[in-house]
Each structure stands twice: as structure tokens, then as C-alpha cells.
Amino acid sequence: VAEGEPGEGREPFELPRFWDALGQTFQVTSQEATKLSLAFSRPPLPSSEDCQKLSEDVQNAILAVATVYYWLPKSQGTTLRKMVRDATTEVVEGMIQLTDTILNAPVESLSQEQLISTGGVWEACEQVSNLPRDNQAAVVSALAACLGVVKDAVEEMEQALVEGQDPYEDIMEDEELGFRGNRDTYWSEADRQLLSSCMGLMKASKACLKKVLTAVKAHGKAESPEQIAQLDDLADIANEISPSVDELALSMYPPVNPLAVRLNAAKLASVLKKVLEIAKTSHVCPPSEEGWVQFLTGAVDHNMNKVKNFTQGQL
């Protein structure tokens, strides 16, 4: 589904009416998928006239879904719009897959693939009820997803550091060679000192997302263009945290390259400081929230300075 803006001359946009219309079009599409699947579930095949009618009904349902999606202007929030677009795309792709399955399936009986494809369209259409209803809810959802990914990355690295000197022990044992003394597969004491500061940055990432998420839940609003834009800015920069955490984590596995670790740590620190700066200057951060912003900014600087100190003589 391509990007677009509502046409000229339309009535003023209202979110409740949009959601009603989108829900109706998704429901109709689900019903058309059922009709299409049943028509081709057993012989005899529908007549050419019936096939044409089925085809037109499916096409009209999909066009209605796409049309309603285009009613949602970017001014309602790019984060919300992307989530609606993804849900719309999933419905369209599901119907394409169902049609392909029917065209390629034997006519004798209802195939397992056809059942799965039909269920896939139903599931995609039902998602409309779970979509966030405004940009504040959309940004909450996006931040929560980022936080979940970062939490997993932090826990994985903590476990690797605790389990022992050799993070590859369980996948690289070689019975014939016996004990491996390869320094490329374990952390030295100097490595561990450096990685401790990197873990500090990763934990700061988790804390940062958690605090921003709480602030958006408590104070976030999607009532004015400025508020909506500020929420989108937060979501956009927060989306950069997870990839930056992953890159840092990957560079922390042995053999440790101090330069790579330092560069990835600096990139993550820069992203975190941007998140904190954007949060601080937005409506989600009244004076009551400034304490944690200042604290986390200090934590990022502290851990980044330690990374610099540990790598100074190794570059």
C-alpha cells in the first residue's frame, strides 16, 4: 500500500469515523475471503459468471480497505499511520496469497494451504480491533516493543558474561582436540573491565526506554499537531536504540576489538542522549520528570567516559 494523503474537498477528518469505516472494510474483506474460499472448496467449480462476481467483490473489498487507509492523514501521526499501513498491507497480501493458493490447488478438495490462507486473512482482518486509536497509543506501543527487544539483548549479554570465560563453550567443544586455549574464544580480565562499562550503557538504554515509555503513558497527548509531532520524534529516535544495542553487543563477543567496541558504544551513547534531549524538550517531560532525564544523561556520560579510558591505550 503506497503512501498518500486524503483528497481535496473531503469533510474534516475525524478519528472515530475513520476507525468505524476501517473496521467495516476489514470485516467485509474477511467475509469475501470466506465466500471465495467456500466457492472453491469442492466441485463443481463456480461458473464463469460467478467467478467474475467473486473477483469483483474481492477487488472492491480490497479497494475499500486501501481507500479508507488513505483517509488517515500524516498529521494524525506517522507512527500511527505506519501501524495502520502495516495492518492494511497484511490484509491485502493475505488476500493475494489466498487467491494464489486457490488458483494453484487441486479442485477435488479443500486443501490445507487454502484453509491456512483463509485463516490468515481472517487473522489479518481481526487485527483492526487491536490497533492503537491515536498517536499517543501508537507511540506507547512502539516504545514498548523497543523496550522488549532491548531487555532481551541485555539479559542475553548478562548471561554470557556470568556463564564463564568462554561464551562459545557450549557450541565449540571439540572432543578430539581436547582443551582449547584459544584466546579468541574467551574474555581476558581487561576485556571484562571494558565490557562492564558497555553493560552500563546497555542497562542505561533499558532504563531510558522504560522512563520515556512511562512519561508518554502519563503525560503524552495527541491533541495538537505539535504534540503529535513530538511523539513521532520520540518514536523515531527510540527505534534507533535497539539496533545500536545489538551492534554494541555483537562487538563485545571475543575476540574483542577495542576500537569497534568504542565506536559502537559512542554510537549508542549518542542515540541515548538524543532520546533524552528530545524527551526533555517535549510535552511528555514536565518539571517533575526532569530528575531522571538528568540522572540518565549523567549515567550515559559516566559509562562512555569509562569506555574511553579503558580503550585509550589499546587503540
Side-chain angles (χ1 to χ4, degrees), residues 44 46 65 77 85 101 151 216 225 243 301 308 314:
V65 165
R85 184 186 69 216
T101 301
K151 268 183 179 175
V216 171
D301 286 336
K308 287 177 184 174
Q314 301 178 53

Side-chain angles (χ1 to χ4, degrees), residues 165-168 172 177-188 254-255:
Q165 296 290 338
D166 188 350
Y168 301 117
M172 291 183 65
L177 294 175
F179 175 74
R180 291 174 292 109
N182 186 350
R183 292 185 62 84
D184 286 352
T185 64
Y186 67 91
W187 287 297
S188 67

Side-chain angles (χ1 to χ4, degrees), residues 38-210:
L38 285 173
F40 289 90
S41 62
R42 58 185 177 275
L45 282 172
S47 65
S48 59
E49 290 84 3
D50 288 340
C51 283
Q52 186 172 352
K53 178 71 166 63
L54 283 166
S55 175
E56 286 174 359
D57 288 347
V58 166
Q59 186 176 345
N60 288 337
I62 290 298
L63 285 172
V65 165
T67 300
V68 174
Y69 158 69
Y70 283 128
W71 291 356
L72 182 63
K74 289 178 182 175
S75 58
Q76 289 294 321
T78 55
T79 310
L80 176 66
R81 201 163 188 265
K82 182 182 183 303
M83 290 181 180
V84 175
R85 184 186 69 216
D86 289 347
T88 304
T89 302
E90 204 169 318
V91 170
V92 175
E93 289 176 346
M95 190 63 93
I96 291 170
Q97 186 182 352
L98 173 59
T99 307
D100 283 342
T101 301
I102 289 170
L103 288 172
N104 295 317
V107 187
E108 288 75 28
S109 63
L110 184 66
S111 71
Q112 185 67 18
E113 288 78 14
Q114 189 175 329
L115 282 170
I116 292 170
S117 295
T118 307
V121 177
W122 293 342
E123 197 175 326
C125 291
E126 284 167 6
Q127 278 189 37
V128 70
S129 60
N130 298 323
L131 286 169
R133 270 8 198 194
D134 62 19
N135 207 47
Q136 188 261 358
V139 171
V140 165
S141 175
L143 290 172
C146 292
L147 177 58
V149 175
V150 170
K151 268 183 179 175
D152 289 345
V154 171
E155 286 169 14
E156 189 177 318
M157 184 52 67
E158 280 181 326
Q159 189 176 353
L161 284 164
V162 165
E163 281 179 352
Q165 296 290 338
D166 188 350
Y168 301 117
E169 187 174 6
D170 57 341
I171 56 171
M172 291 183 65
E173 280 297 338
D174 190 323
E175 292 177 6
E176 290 181 16
L177 294 175
F179 175 74
R180 291 174 292 109
N182 186 350
R183 292 185 62 84
D184 286 352
T185 64
Y186 67 91
W187 287 297
S188 67
E189 194 50 46
D191 290 339
R192 284 180 172 274
Q193 286 185 321
L194 171 59
L195 300 191
S196 171
S197 302
C198 293
M199 281 304 304
L201 275 177
M202 289 175 71
K203 287 176 180 176
S205 305
K206 186 172 81 168
C208 182
L209 279 168
K210 196 181 266 189

